[in-house]
Amino acid sequence: MKSHALGVFLFGLATAASLTLLYGVDLGRSWIEVSGSTAREYQVPIRRVQGREKQAVLTFDAVRESKNLEKILGILEQEQVRAAFFVTGDWAEQYPEEVRKIAASGQDLGISGRVWRDMRGLSGAEAREELKEVREQAEDVSGQEISLFRPPEGRAGYRLVESARDCGLITVAWDVDSLDWKEYGADFVVERLTGSQGIRDGSIVLCRADAKDTAEALEDLIREIRGQGYELVGMWELLYREDFYIDQQGTQISWAPEEEQGKKP
């Protein structure tokens, strides 16, 4: 009986290790106390925020061209919407004036990697070195303090999330993708983000700053979202800054008393 139990334990341990190596499955989770009950916290990117009723945030990856950026920033200013932009190191180096425009327009600024590629293969030390380098670069150009990190393509295992946290960065992905890169047209973007599979309470929406369809759809998109009763807020209005944990699906959940959860940081 003892040998059987030991065998089951070793098999489970080997399986967990294999999943971590192959798929980046999070083994950096911990048990925490939440209002007297036990919850499991996972080291994964934040994809959505629980408890933010009728609120969502628009985000834009700026990693390739910049030709649609000015139009996007103009519409956001016109509609008084604060969004979040994530830049790679090579994009910030190639388009420093555009980085300054993002910061000057009052939008939230975050970073991705040095270049647009999967970072999960990096060691913790390599990831920290790269993130510190890109963060310093973007801060020097923008004059804005940066605390947000988006892993390229949203791919991050526990090691990368932990490395970002060690650098003072919160890792953010998304729960709704506009698929604007497919170039199906502006109407497709609006329908995708406002239809039955679109935004919901606490959604983080992925768009791309170089996507022609998003630039063309943005004004109608914002008005349609608002027509459904949603408020488009900044990333730091949506996220909890303290007293939270992240579940396996990437939902950020507050363990503060319910009456405190709606308060903006």
Side-chain angles (χ1 to χ4, degrees):
M1 181 65 70
K2 288 184 179 179
S3 62
H4 175 73
L6 179 61
V8 170
F9 171 76
L10 292 175
F11 175 78
L13 188 62
T15 301
S18 299
L19 287 171
T20 303
L21 291 172
L22 288 173
Y23 302 109
V25 172
D26 172 32
L27 296 181
R29 54 187 181 265
S30 59
W31 292 98
I32 57 177
E33 291 297 321
V34 182
S35 301
S37 61
T38 305
R40 177 172 283 180
E41 180 179 34
Y42 288 78
Q43 301 262 20
V44 296
I46 296 171
R47 300 184 179 277
R48 178 176 166 264
V49 182
Q50 188 178 88
R52 298 305 198 192
E53 186 175 351
K54 286 295 183 179
Q55 289 185 334
V57 61
L58 297 177
T59 71
F60 297 85
D61 284 349
V63 299
R64 295 183 180 86
E65 299 176 356
S66 68
K67 59 185 178 181
N68 293 307
L69 180 66
E70 194 160 343
K71 181 176 182 179
I72 289 171
L73 289 176
I75 294 172
L76 292 175
E77 181 179 7
Q78 168 191 303
E79 299 297 327
Q80 298 185 323
V81 171
R82 187 168 185 174
F85 289 78
F86 294 87
V87 302
T88 53
D90 61 347
W91 194 90
E93 182 177 0
Q94 186 175 0
Y95 302 109
E97 187 58 35
E98 280 74 3
V99 175
R100 283 189 281 270
K101 286 180 181 178
I102 292 171
S105 66
Q107 305 302 327
D108 295 321
L109 187 63
I111 60 167
S112 288
R114 186 180 293 128
V115 295
W116 190 252
R117 56 90 168 82
D118 192 338
M119 296 177 65
R120 289 176 297 176
L122 299 178
S123 69
E126 290 170 334
R128 288 190 294 272
E129 180 182 358
E130 179 166 332
L131 291 173
K132 288 177 182 177
E133 174 192 315
V134 178
R135 180 183 188 178
E136 289 173 3
Q137 176 188 8
E139 287 182 339
D140 287 344
V141 173
S142 67
Q144 184 179 110
E145 183 178 347
I146 292 173
S147 301
L148 296 170
F149 165 59
R150 168 164 287 167
E153 299 182 5
R155 297 178 178 178
Y158 79 92
R159 184 170 58 203
L160 183 56
V161 174
E162 190 172 64
S163 296
R165 187 178 62 183
D166 291 343
C167 295
L169 297 166
I170 294 178
T171 304
V172 178
W174 60 86
D175 71 318
V176 184
D177 186 349
S178 66
L179 298 182
D180 48 8
W181 62 273
K182 290 180 175 288
E183 297 188 347
Y184 289 158
D187 290 344
F188 170 83
V189 172
V190 174
E191 174 59 30
R192 168 123 184 129
L193 297 182
T194 62
S196 59
Q197 301 301 312
I199 67 168
R200 50 183 173 156
D201 293 348
S203 276
I204 299 173
V205 180
L206 171 64
C207 299
R208 294 153 185 88
D210 64 326
K212 174 178 63 70
D213 290 345
T214 287
E216 292 179 355
L218 189 55
E219 190 171 347
D220 288 340
L221 174 64
I222 291 170
R223 293 175 181 176
E224 181 68 23
I225 290 172
R226 284 174 168 166
Q228 294 182 0
Y230 283 94
E231 178 187 9
L232 290 170
V233 299
M235 185 66 77
W236 291 115
E237 291 180 273
L238 194 77
L239 295 179
Y240 299 114
R241 299 201 186 195
E242 57 185 17
D243 296 337
F244 68 84
Y245 68 100
I246 302 169
D247 72 8
Q248 190 173 13
Q249 287 71 45
T251 303
Q252 188 192 39
I253 302 169
S254 172
W255 71 67
E258 188 172 348
E259 61 272 14
E260 296 289 328
Q261 292 180 17
K263 292 185 178 180
K264 295 177 182 178

